[in-house]
Coordinates of all heavy atoms in Angstrom, one line a residue:
Q378 N -43.9 20.6 -10.9 CA -43.4 20.3 -12.3 C -42.2 21.1 -12.7 O -41.2 20.6 -13.3 CB -44.5 20.5 -13.3 CG -45.8 19.7 -13.1 CD -45.5 18.2 -13.2 OE1 -44.5 17.8 -13.9 NE2 -46.3 17.3 -12.5
D379 N -42.2 22.5 -12.3 CA -41.0 23.3 -12.5 C -39.8 22.7 -11.9 O -38.7 22.7 -12.4 CB -41.3 24.7 -12.1 CG -42.5 25.4 -12.8 OD1 -42.6 25.1 -14.1 OD2 -43.2 26.2 -12.2
T380 N -40.0 22.3 -10.6 CA -38.9 21.8 -9.8 C -38.4 20.6 -10.5 O -37.1 20.3 -10.6 CB -39.3 21.5 -8.4 OG1 -39.9 22.7 -7.8 CG2 -38.1 21.0 -7.6
E381 N -39.3 19.7 -10.9 CA -38.9 18.4 -11.5 C -38.1 18.7 -12.9 O -37.2 18.0 -13.2 CB -40.1 17.5 -11.8 CG -39.8 16.1 -12.2 CD -39.2 15.2 -11.1 OE1 -39.3 15.6 -10.0 OE2 -38.5 14.3 -11.4
I382 N -38.6 19.6 -13.7 CA -38.0 19.9 -14.9 C -36.6 20.5 -14.7 O -35.7 20.2 -15.4 CB -38.9 21.0 -15.7 CG1 -40.2 20.2 -16.2 CG2 -38.1 21.5 -16.9 CD1 -41.2 21.2 -16.8
Q383 N -36.5 21.4 -13.7 CA -35.2 21.9 -13.3 C -34.2 20.8 -12.9 O -33.0 20.9 -13.3 CB -35.3 23.0 -12.2 CG -34.0 23.7 -11.9 CD -34.3 24.7 -10.8 OE1 -35.4 24.8 -10.2 NE2 -33.2 25.5 -10.4
A384 N -34.7 19.9 -12.1 CA -33.9 18.8 -11.7 C -33.5 17.9 -12.9 O -32.3 17.5 -13.0 CB -34.6 17.9 -10.6
L385 N -34.4 17.7 -13.8 CA -34.0 16.9 -15.0 C -33.0 17.6 -15.9 O -32.1 17.1 -16.5 CB -35.3 16.6 -15.8 CG -36.2 15.6 -15.2 CD1 -37.6 15.5 -15.9 CD2 -35.6 14.2 -15.1
N386 N -33.2 18.9 -16.0 CA -32.2 19.7 -16.7 C -30.8 19.6 -16.2 O -29.8 19.5 -16.8 CB -32.7 21.2 -16.9 CG -33.8 21.4 -17.8 OD1 -34.0 20.6 -18.7 ND2 -34.6 22.4 -17.6
M387 N -30.7 19.7 -14.8 CA -29.5 19.6 -14.1 C -28.9 18.2 -14.4 O -27.7 18.1 -14.5 CB -29.7 19.9 -12.6 CG -30.1 21.4 -12.3 SD -30.4 21.6 -10.6 CE -28.7 21.2 -9.9
A388 N -29.7 17.2 -14.4 CA -29.2 15.9 -14.6 C -28.7 15.7 -16.0 O -27.7 15.1 -16.2 CB -30.4 14.8 -14.3
M389 N -29.4 16.3 -17.0 CA -28.9 16.2 -18.3 C -27.6 17.0 -18.6 O -26.7 16.5 -19.2 CB -30.0 16.8 -19.3 CG -31.3 16.0 -19.3 SD -32.7 16.8 -20.1 CE -32.1 16.9 -21.8
E390 N -27.5 18.1 -17.8 CA -26.3 18.8 -17.9 C -25.1 18.1 -17.3 O -24.0 18.1 -17.9 CB -26.4 20.2 -17.1 CG -27.3 21.1 -17.9 CD -27.7 22.4 -17.0 OE1 -27.1 22.5 -16.0 OE2 -28.5 23.3 -17.5
T391 N -25.5 17.4 -16.2 CA -24.4 16.6 -15.6 C -24.0 15.4 -16.4 O -22.7 15.1 -16.6 CB -25.0 16.0 -14.2 OG1 -25.4 17.1 -13.4 CG2 -23.9 15.2 -13.5
I392 N -25.0 14.8 -17.1 CA -24.6 13.7 -18.0 C -23.7 14.1 -19.1 O -22.8 13.5 -19.6 CB -25.9 13.0 -18.5 CG1 -26.6 12.2 -17.3 CG2 -25.6 12.1 -19.7 CD1 -27.9 11.6 -17.7
Q393 N -24.1 15.3 -19.7 CA -23.3 15.9 -20.8 C -21.9 16.1 -20.4 O -20.9 16.2 -21.2 CB -24.0 17.2 -21.3 CG -25.3 17.0 -22.0 CD -26.0 18.2 -22.4 OE1 -25.6 19.3 -21.9 NE2 -27.0 18.2 -23.3
M394 N -21.6 16.4 -19.1 CA -20.3 16.6 -18.6 C -19.6 15.4 -18.4 O -18.3 15.4 -18.2 CB -20.4 17.5 -17.3 CG -20.9 18.9 -17.5 SD -21.2 19.7 -15.9 CE -19.5 19.7 -15.2
L395 N -20.2 14.2 -18.2 CA -19.6 13.0 -18.0 C -18.8 12.4 -19.2 O -19.2 12.7 -20.3 CB -20.6 12.0 -17.4 CG -21.2 12.3 -16.1 CD1 -22.3 11.4 -15.7 CD2 -20.2 12.4 -14.9
S396 N -18.0 11.5 -18.9 CA -17.3 10.8 -20.0 C -18.3 9.9 -20.8 O -19.1 9.3 -20.1 CB -16.1 10.0 -19.5 OG -15.6 9.2 -20.5
G397 N -18.1 9.8 -22.0 CA -19.0 8.9 -22.8 C -18.7 7.5 -22.8 O -19.3 6.6 -23.5
N398 N -17.5 7.2 -22.1 CA -17.0 5.8 -22.1 C -17.6 5.0 -21.0 O -16.9 4.7 -20.0 CB -15.5 5.8 -22.1 CG -14.9 4.4 -22.3 OD1 -15.6 3.6 -22.9 ND2 -13.7 4.2 -21.8
I399 N -19.0 4.7 -21.1 CA -19.6 4.0 -20.1 C -20.1 2.6 -20.6 O -20.6 2.4 -21.7 CB -20.9 4.7 -19.6 CG1 -20.6 6.1 -19.1 CG2 -21.7 3.9 -18.5 CD1 -19.6 6.2 -18.0
H400 N -19.7 1.5 -19.8 CA -20.0 0.2 -20.3 C -21.5 -0.1 -20.2 O -22.3 0.6 -19.5 CB -19.3 -0.8 -19.3 CG -17.8 -0.7 -19.3 ND1 -17.0 -1.1 -20.4 CD2 -17.0 -0.2 -18.4 CE1 -15.8 -0.8 -20.1 NE2 -15.7 -0.3 -18.9
R401 N -21.9 -1.2 -20.9 CA -23.3 -1.5 -21.0 C -23.7 -2.7 -20.4 O -24.6 -3.4 -20.7 CB -23.6 -1.6 -22.5 CG -23.3 -0.3 -23.3 CD -23.6 -0.6 -24.9 NE -23.3 0.5 -25.7 CZ -24.1 1.4 -26.0 NH1 -25.4 1.3 -25.6 NH2 -23.7 2.5 -26.7
Q402 N -22.9 -3.1 -19.3 CA -23.1 -4.4 -18.8 C -24.5 -4.6 -18.2 O -25.1 -5.7 -18.3 CB -22.0 -4.7 -17.7 CG -22.1 -6.1 -17.2 CD -20.9 -6.4 -16.2 OE1 -20.0 -5.7 -16.2 NE2 -21.1 -7.5 -15.4
V403 N -24.9 -3.6 -17.4 CA -26.2 -3.8 -16.8 C -27.3 -3.9 -17.8 O -28.3 -4.7 -17.7 CB -26.5 -2.6 -15.8 CG1 -27.9 -2.6 -15.2 CG2 -25.5 -2.8 -14.6
G404 N -27.2 -3.0 -18.8 CA -28.2 -3.1 -19.9 C -28.2 -4.5 -20.5 O -29.3 -5.1 -20.9
R405 N -27.0 -5.1 -20.7 CA -27.0 -6.4 -21.3 C -27.6 -7.4 -20.3 O -28.3 -8.3 -20.7 CB -25.5 -6.8 -21.6 CG -24.9 -6.1 -22.8 CD -23.6 -6.7 -23.3 NE -22.6 -6.8 -22.2 CZ -21.8 -5.8 -22.0 NH1 -21.7 -4.8 -22.8 NH2 -20.9 -5.9 -21.1
R406 N -27.3 -7.2 -19.0 CA -27.9 -8.1 -18.0 C -29.5 -8.1 -18.1 O -30.0 -9.2 -17.9 CB -27.4 -7.8 -16.6 CG -25.9 -8.2 -16.4 CD -25.5 -7.6 -15.1 NE -26.2 -8.1 -14.0 CZ -26.2 -7.6 -12.7 NH1 -25.5 -6.5 -12.5 NH2 -26.9 -8.1 -11.8
L407 N -30.0 -6.9 -18.2 CA -31.5 -6.8 -18.3 C -31.9 -7.5 -19.5 O -33.0 -8.2 -19.4 CB -31.9 -5.3 -18.3 CG -33.3 -5.0 -18.4 CD1 -34.1 -5.6 -17.2 CD2 -33.6 -3.5 -18.5
R408 N -31.3 -7.3 -20.7 CA -31.8 -8.0 -21.8 C -31.7 -9.5 -21.8 O -32.5 -10.2 -22.2 CB -31.1 -7.4 -23.1 CG -31.4 -6.0 -23.4 CD -30.9 -5.6 -24.8 NE -29.4 -5.7 -24.9 CZ -28.6 -4.8 -24.6 NH1 -29.0 -3.7 -24.1 NH2 -27.3 -5.0 -24.7
Q409 N -30.5 -9.9 -21.2 CA -30.2 -11.3 -21.1 C -31.2 -12.0 -20.1 O -31.7 -13.1 -20.4 CB -28.8 -11.5 -20.6 CG -27.7 -11.2 -21.6 CD -26.3 -11.1 -21.0 OE1 -26.1 -11.4 -19.8 NE2 -25.3 -10.9 -21.9
R410 N -31.5 -11.3 -19.0 CA -32.4 -11.9 -18.0 C -33.8 -12.0 -18.7 O -34.6 -13.0 -18.5 CB -32.4 -11.1 -16.7 CG -33.3 -11.7 -15.7 CD -33.0 -13.1 -15.3 NE -33.9 -13.6 -14.3 CZ -34.2 -14.9 -14.1 NH1 -33.6 -15.8 -14.8 NH2 -35.0 -15.2 -13.1
T411 N -34.2 -10.8 -19.3 CA -35.6 -10.8 -19.9 C -35.7 -11.9 -21.0 O -36.7 -12.6 -21.1 CB -35.8 -9.5 -20.6 OG1 -35.8 -8.4 -19.5 CG2 -37.2 -9.4 -21.1
S412 N -34.7 -12.0 -21.8 CA -34.6 -13.0 -22.8 C -34.7 -14.4 -22.3 O -35.5 -15.3 -22.9 CB -33.4 -12.9 -23.7 OG -33.4 -11.6 -24.3
R413 N -34.0 -14.7 -21.2 CA -34.0 -16.0 -20.7 C -35.4 -16.4 -20.1 O -35.9 -17.5 -20.3 CB -33.0 -16.1 -19.5 CG -33.0 -17.5 -18.8 CD -31.8 -17.5 -17.7 NE -32.0 -18.7 -16.9 CZ -31.2 -18.9 -15.9 NH1 -30.3 -18.0 -15.5 NH2 -31.3 -20.1 -15.2
I414 N -36.0 -15.4 -19.4 CA -37.4 -15.7 -18.9 C -38.4 -15.9 -20.0 O -39.2 -16.9 -20.0 CB -37.8 -14.5 -18.0 CG1 -37.0 -14.3 -16.8 CG2 -39.3 -14.6 -17.6 CD1 -37.2 -13.1 -15.9
L415 N -38.3 -15.2 -21.1 CA -39.1 -15.2 -22.2 C -38.9 -16.6 -22.9 O -39.9 -17.3 -23.2 CB -39.0 -14.1 -23.2 CG -40.0 -14.1 -24.4 CD1 -41.4 -13.9 -23.9 CD2 -39.6 -13.0 -25.4
R416 N -37.7 -17.0 -23.0 CA -37.5 -18.4 -23.6 C -38.1 -19.5 -22.8 O -38.7 -20.4 -23.3 CB -35.9 -18.6 -23.7 CG -35.2 -17.9 -24.9 CD -33.9 -18.5 -25.2 NE -32.9 -18.5 -24.1 CZ -32.2 -17.4 -23.8 NH1 -32.2 -16.4 -24.6 NH2 -31.4 -17.4 -22.7
E417 N -38.0 -19.3 -21.5 CA -38.6 -20.4 -20.6 C -40.0 -20.4 -20.7 O -40.6 -21.6 -20.7 CB -38.0 -20.1 -19.1 CG -36.5 -20.4 -19.0 CD -36.1 -20.0 -17.5 OE1 -36.9 -19.6 -16.7 OE2 -34.9 -20.2 -17.3
I418 N -40.7 -19.3 -20.6 CA -42.2 -19.4 -20.6 C -42.8 -19.5 -22.0 O -44.0 -19.8 -22.0 CB -42.7 -18.1 -20.0 CG1 -42.4 -16.8 -20.8 CG2 -42.3 -17.9 -18.5 CD1 -43.0 -15.5 -20.2
T419 N -41.9 -19.4 -23.1 CA -42.5 -19.7 -24.4 C -41.9 -21.0 -25.0 O -42.1 -21.3 -26.2 CB -42.2 -18.5 -25.4 OG1 -40.8 -18.3 -25.4 CG2 -42.8 -17.2 -24.9
H420 N -41.1 -21.7 -24.1 CA -40.5 -23.0 -24.5 C -39.6 -22.8 -25.8 O -39.6 -23.6 -26.7 CB -41.5 -24.1 -24.8 CG -42.4 -24.3 -23.6 ND1 -42.0 -24.9 -22.4 CD2 -43.7 -24.1 -23.4 CE1 -42.9 -25.1 -21.6 NE2 -44.0 -24.5 -22.1
G421 N -38.9 -21.7 -25.8 CA -37.9 -21.4 -26.8 C -38.4 -20.8 -28.1 O -37.7 -20.6 -29.1
R422 N -39.7 -20.6 -28.2 CA -40.3 -20.0 -29.4 C -39.7 -18.6 -29.7 O -39.4 -18.3 -30.8 CB -41.8 -19.9 -29.3 CG -42.4 -19.4 -30.6 CD -43.9 -19.3 -30.5 NE -44.6 -18.9 -31.6 CZ -45.8 -18.7 -31.9 NH1 -46.7 -19.0 -30.9 NH2 -46.3 -18.2 -33.0
Y423 N -39.5 -17.9 -28.6 CA -38.9 -16.6 -28.8 C -37.6 -16.6 -28.1 O -37.5 -16.9 -26.8 CB -39.8 -15.4 -28.2 CG -41.2 -15.4 -28.9 CD1 -42.3 -16.0 -28.3 CD2 -41.3 -14.7 -30.1 CE1 -43.5 -15.9 -29.1 CE2 -42.5 -14.6 -30.8 CZ -43.6 -15.3 -30.3 OH -44.8 -15.2 -31.0
Q424 N -36.5 -16.2 -28.8 CA -35.2 -16.4 -28.3 C -34.5 -15.2 -27.6 O -33.8 -15.5 -26.6 CB -34.2 -16.8 -29.6 CG -34.6 -18.0 -30.3 CD -34.4 -19.3 -29.5 OE1 -33.4 -19.3 -28.8 NE2 -35.2 -20.3 -29.5
E425 N -34.7 -14.1 -28.1 CA -34.0 -12.9 -27.5 C -34.9 -11.7 -27.5 O -35.7 -11.5 -28.5 CB -32.8 -12.7 -28.3 CG -31.9 -11.6 -27.9 CD -30.7 -11.3 -28.7 OE1 -30.6 -11.9 -29.8 OE2 -29.8 -10.6 -28.2
V426 N -34.8 -10.8 -26.5 CA -35.4 -9.5 -26.4 C -34.4 -8.5 -26.6 O -33.4 -8.5 -25.9 CB -36.1 -9.5 -25.1 CG1 -36.8 -8.0 -25.0 CG2 -37.2 -10.5 -25.0
M427 N -34.7 -7.5 -27.5 CA -33.8 -6.3 -27.7 C -34.6 -5.1 -27.4 O -35.8 -4.9 -27.7 CB -33.3 -6.3 -29.1 CG -32.4 -7.5 -29.5 SD -31.8 -7.4 -31.2 CE -33.3 -7.5 -32.1
M428 N -33.9 -4.1 -26.7 CA -34.5 -2.9 -26.3 C -33.7 -1.7 -26.7 O -32.5 -1.7 -26.6 CB -34.7 -2.9 -24.8 CG -35.8 -3.9 -24.3 SD -35.9 -4.0 -22.5 CE -34.4 -4.8 -22.2
D429 N -34.3 -0.6 -27.1 CA -33.6 0.6 -27.4 C -33.7 1.5 -26.1 O -34.1 1.0 -25.1 CB -34.2 1.4 -28.6 CG -35.7 1.8 -28.4 OD1 -36.2 1.8 -27.2 OD2 -36.3 2.2 -29.4
Q430 N -33.1 2.8 -26.2 CA -33.1 3.6 -25.1 C -34.4 3.9 -24.5 O -34.5 4.4 -23.3 CB -32.3 4.9 -25.4 CG -32.9 5.7 -26.5 CD -32.4 5.4 -27.9 OE1 -31.9 4.2 -28.1 NE2 -32.4 6.3 -28.8
E431 N -35.5 3.8 -25.2 CA -36.8 4.2 -24.7 C -37.6 2.9 -24.4 O -38.8 3.0 -24.1 CB -37.6 4.9 -25.8 CG -37.0 6.2 -26.2 CD -37.7 6.9 -27.3 OE1 -38.7 6.3 -27.9 OE2 -37.4 8.1 -27.6
L432 N -36.9 1.8 -24.1 CA -37.4 0.5 -23.8 C -38.5 0.0 -24.8 O -39.3 -0.7 -24.4 CB -38.2 0.6 -22.4 CG -37.2 0.9 -21.2 CD1 -38.0 0.8 -19.9 CD2 -36.1 -0.2 -21.1
H433 N -38.3 0.5 -26.1 CA -39.1 -0.2 -27.2 C -38.5 -1.6 -27.4 O -37.2 -1.7 -27.5 CB -39.0 0.7 -28.4 CG -39.8 2.0 -28.3 ND1 -39.5 3.1 -29.0 CD2 -40.7 2.4 -27.4 CE1 -40.3 4.1 -28.6 NE2 -41.1 3.6 -27.7
I434 N -39.3 -2.5 -27.6 CA -38.9 -3.9 -27.6 C -39.0 -4.6 -29.0 O -40.1 -4.4 -29.6 CB -39.7 -4.7 -26.5 CG1 -39.3 -4.2 -25.1 CG2 -39.3 -6.2 -26.6 CD1 -40.0 -4.8 -24.0
T435 N -38.0 -5.3 -29.3 CA -38.1 -6.2 -30.6 C -37.8 -7.6 -30.1 O -36.9 -7.8 -29.2 CB -37.1 -5.7 -31.6 OG1 -37.4 -4.4 -32.0 CG2 -37.2 -6.6 -32.9
V436 N -38.5 -8.6 -30.7 CA -38.3 -9.9 -30.2 C -37.7 -10.8 -31.4 O -38.3 -10.7 -32.5 CB -39.6 -10.6 -29.7 CG1 -39.5 -12.0 -29.3 CG2 -40.2 -9.9 -28.5
N437 N -36.7 -11.5 -31.1 CA -36.1 -12.4 -32.1 C -36.7 -13.8 -32.0 O -36.8 -14.4 -30.8 CB -34.6 -12.5 -31.9 CG -33.9 -11.4 -32.7 OD1 -34.5 -10.8 -33.5 ND2 -32.6 -11.2 -32.5
T438 N -37.1 -14.4 -33.1 CA -37.4 -15.8 -33.2 C -36.4 -16.5 -34.0 O -35.4 -15.8 -34.5 CB -38.8 -15.9 -33.9 OG1 -38.6 -15.6 -35.3 CG2 -39.9 -15.0 -33.2
P439 N -36.4 -17.7 -34.0 CA -35.4 -18.5 -34.9 C -35.4 -18.0 -36.4 O -34.4 -18.2 -37.1 CB -35.8 -20.0 -34.8 CG -36.4 -20.1 -33.5 CD -37.2 -18.7 -33.4
D440 N -36.4 -17.4 -36.8 CA -36.6 -17.1 -38.3 C -36.5 -15.6 -38.5 O -35.9 -15.1 -39.5 CB -37.9 -17.5 -38.8 CG -38.1 -19.0 -38.7 OD1 -37.1 -19.8 -38.8 OD2 -39.3 -19.5 -38.4
R441 N -37.0 -14.7 -37.6 CA -36.9 -13.3 -37.9 C -37.1 -12.4 -36.6 O -37.5 -13.1 -35.5 CB -38.1 -12.9 -38.8 CG -39.5 -13.2 -38.3 CD -40.5 -13.3 -39.4 NE -41.9 -13.6 -39.0 CZ -42.8 -12.9 -38.9 NH1 -42.7 -11.5 -39.1 NH2 -44.0 -13.2 -38.4

Side-chain angles (χ1 to χ4, degrees):
Q378 300 296 336
D379 294 328
T380 304
E381 190 71 19
I382 291 171
Q383 184 178 4
L385 289 170
N386 287 335
M387 292 177 63
M389 292 167 66
E390 291 172 2
T391 302
I392 288 178
Q393 288 175 346
M394 294 173 60
L395 296 176
S396 169
N398 187 21
I399 302 298
H400 299 291
R401 301 174 183 266
Q402 184 174 345
V403 170
R405 287 196 300 271
R406 287 172 57 195
L407 177 61
R408 292 193 299 273
Q409 290 169 0
R410 180 59 179 155
T411 302
S412 299
R413 179 180 175 183
I414 294 173
L415 185 62
R416 280 197 302 273
E417 291 176 359
I418 63 177
T419 62
H420 302 291
R422 181 178 181 182
Y423 298 99
Q424 299 289 323
E425 183 181 13
V426 176
M427 297 181 293
M428 291 174 286
D429 63 14
Q430 61 269 27
E431 297 178 352
L432 295 183
H433 292 159
I434 294 174
T435 301
V436 178
N437 270 345
T438 70
D440 301 324
R441 59 195 178 107

